[in-house]
Structure formats: C-alpha cells, structure tokens
C-alpha cells in the first residue's frame, strides 16, 4: 500500500509542507474539541489562519486533512522513537529505554495521538490500509527488541505471547493519553513510566 498523493494546486514543496503543518495543527485542535464529522473545512481553514479558498489549494477534501493528520503523527512518533532507541548493550536495557522513549513521545504528542486513534475509523477505505500499515511498522520496532530479549533468554515466550506482550507495551503508553483524566491525579509521568516498566518487565 503506497502513500496517498494529496492534491495541491501549489507547486512549491517547501510551502506545501509549511501550510500543511498549519492545517494539521489547526485540525487537531478542532477534532479534539468537536470530532472529525462535526468539524467543517471552513472551521479548519479559520483555525489554520487561511481563507477557505487557500485551504483548498493544499487539499482536495476534508478526508485529506484527516489522512495528513494520521500520516504525520505516525511519521513523527516513529522517527522520534527511532532517534531515542539504543542499538547496543543488553537487550533488556534497550527494551526499557525503548519503552521510556515511546512513553515520552506519547506524552509530548498526547493530543495528536488521541485524535489519531479516535478518528482513524473515519478514513476512506482506500487510505485506511496505508495508515494501519504505519501502526504495524511501529509494532515491529518493539517486536524486534523483544525478540532480542528472547535470544538472550531474558524472557521465555511463545510467538503468540511475544506478540501480545508487544501490544501490551504499546497500549500501556497510549493509556497515558486515553485515561489521562484519571491517571494524572495519582501519578507523575516518571512514576507512571517506572511502574509500567516494573509491571511489564521486571515482574515477569
């Protein structure tokens, strides 16, 4: 599944990137407040600092905006996670570092992550597989480190147990966003990360 080409009447690629970043930021604020379906393109244009005519120079439909939001968030989460992953040392240390890096990224992009998981279902059928593939790639990054832990006999898991373990790691990070209204009354981010690492890894 290839990346979708979102239509633009503008040819300057640098300007396209700049304007679409503005569109994404404006759309995220609105999608959190009102949801995708209740948000209009005119509202997105206003929140982004554009006229409705200018908005349509950079997108074709409102669904294009949601696609750009999801695609950019996955790209940024993946890239920022990659930069923070340790590639040398014991596998268990690299796994702990990866979990910490992932949780920190989720915390810094909590609004975007919330929109991504709440509104992915609203993507058109032709673009949904591409976005879901990005999620699979993120899972694969963690699976690789978990596999190294298996090789070093840190864990003894079946293939299915290993896959479920990896998904649990990712969901634990996402929970910091989805249940922030409750969790942040009782935990700092550091306390949450430390306890999750203990529950997920050290208690095994």
């Amino acid at each position: 599944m290839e990346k979708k080409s979102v239509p633009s009447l503008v040819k300057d690629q640098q300007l396209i990137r700049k304007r679409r970043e503005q569109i994404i930021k404006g759309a995220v604020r609105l999608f959190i407040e009102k949801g995708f379906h209740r948000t209009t393109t005119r509202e997105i244009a206003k929140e982004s600092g554009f006229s409705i005519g200018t908005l349509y120079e950079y997108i074709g439909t409102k669904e294009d905006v949601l696609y750009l939001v999801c695609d950019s968030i996955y790209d940024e989460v993946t890239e920022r996670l990659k930069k923070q992953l340790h590639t040398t040392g014991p596998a268990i240390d690299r796994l702990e570092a990866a979990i910490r890096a992932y949780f920190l990224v989720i915390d810094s992009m909590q609004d975007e992550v919330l929109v991504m998981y709440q509104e992915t279902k609203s993507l058109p059928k032709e673009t949904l597989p591409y976005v879901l593939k990005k999620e699979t790639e993120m899972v694969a990054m963690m699976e690789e480190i978990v596999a190294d832990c298996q090789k070093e006999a840190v864990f003894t898991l079946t293939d299915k147990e290993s896959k479920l373990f990896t998904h649990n790691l990712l969901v634990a990070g996402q929970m910091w966003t989805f249940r922030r209204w409750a969790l942040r009354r009782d935990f700092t981010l550091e306390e949450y990360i430390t306890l999750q690492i203990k529950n997920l890894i050290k208690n095994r």
Side-chain angles (χ1 to χ4, degrees):
M1 177 62 63
E2 295 182 357
K3 187 183 184 78
K4 177 185 176 182
S5 177
V6 176
S8 174
L9 300 177
V10 178
K11 302 302 180 186
D12 185 334
Q13 293 300 312
Q14 186 173 351
L15 183 59
I16 291 173
R17 283 194 296 273
K18 180 180 178 180
R19 293 289 181 255
R20 284 182 174 172
E21 285 175 4
Q22 291 174 260
I23 292 169
I24 288 166
K25 288 178 181 177
V28 165
R29 289 191 291 269
L30 289 169
F31 292 166
I32 288 173
E33 179 185 346
K34 304 180 65 174
F36 171 74
H37 291 293
R38 292 177 57 211
T39 299
T40 66
T41 50
R42 190 171 297 279
E43 288 171 328
I44 293 171
K46 182 179 179 181
E47 190 72 16
S48 305
F50 307 144
S51 67
I52 188 69
T54 299
L55 180 74
Y56 278 114
E57 291 180 1
Y58 298 94
I59 62 162
T61 65
K62 188 172 77 167
E63 285 72 21
D64 286 340
V65 177
L66 180 58
Y67 172 81
L68 290 172
V69 168
C70 292
D71 191 43
S72 69
I73 293 169
Y74 273 119
D75 281 347
E76 186 160 356
V77 170
T78 300
E79 286 305 309
R80 289 172 66 176
L81 183 56
K82 281 180 180 177
K83 288 177 182 178
Q84 297 186 66
L85 291 178
H86 293 283
T87 56
T88 59
I92 188 61
D93 292 344
R94 289 189 287 117
L95 180 58
E96 288 189 29
I99 294 171
R100 180 172 293 278
Y102 174 67
F103 281 28
L104 288 171
V105 170
I106 292 293
D107 178 67
S108 67
M109 299 182 67
Q110 54 194 266
D111 287 343
E112 291 89 342
V113 170
L114 192 62
V115 166
M116 180 173 67
Y117 285 106
Q118 284 182 340
E119 301 295 351
T120 296
K121 63 184 182 298
S122 300
L123 285 166
K125 290 182 180 179
E126 64 271 18
T127 56
L128 183 57
Y130 170 78
V131 172
L132 294 180
K133 180 174 177 288
K134 306 282 279 190
E135 171 82 9
T136 302
E137 290 171 355
M138 194 163 63
V139 172
M141 292 173 63
M142 284 293 193
E143 282 184 333
E144 185 176 342
I145 305 175
V146 172
D148 288 343
C149 288
Q150 291 274 76
K151 291 175 185 175
E152 295 180 13
V154 177
F155 305 139
T156 304
L157 303 171
T158 65
D159 288 344
K160 286 191 174 182
E161 287 172 340
S162 181
K163 286 185 178 296
L164 183 58
F165 176 67
T166 304
H167 283 287
N168 282 339
L169 296 180
L170 295 173
V171 171
Q174 295 156 9
M175 186 168 69
W176 181 247
T177 289
F178 299 146
R179 295 192 58 81
R180 59 188 179 185
W181 58 272
L183 290 172
R184 293 170 198 223
R185 292 200 300 260
D186 299 317
F187 306 99
T188 65
L189 175 60
E190 181 57 34
E191 287 171 338
Y192 182 77
I193 292 173
T194 300
L195 287 172
Q196 286 289 15
I197 288 175
K198 179 181 178 181
N199 289 335
L200 291 163
I201 297 177
K202 294 185 177 179
N203 286 342
R204 294 197 63 81

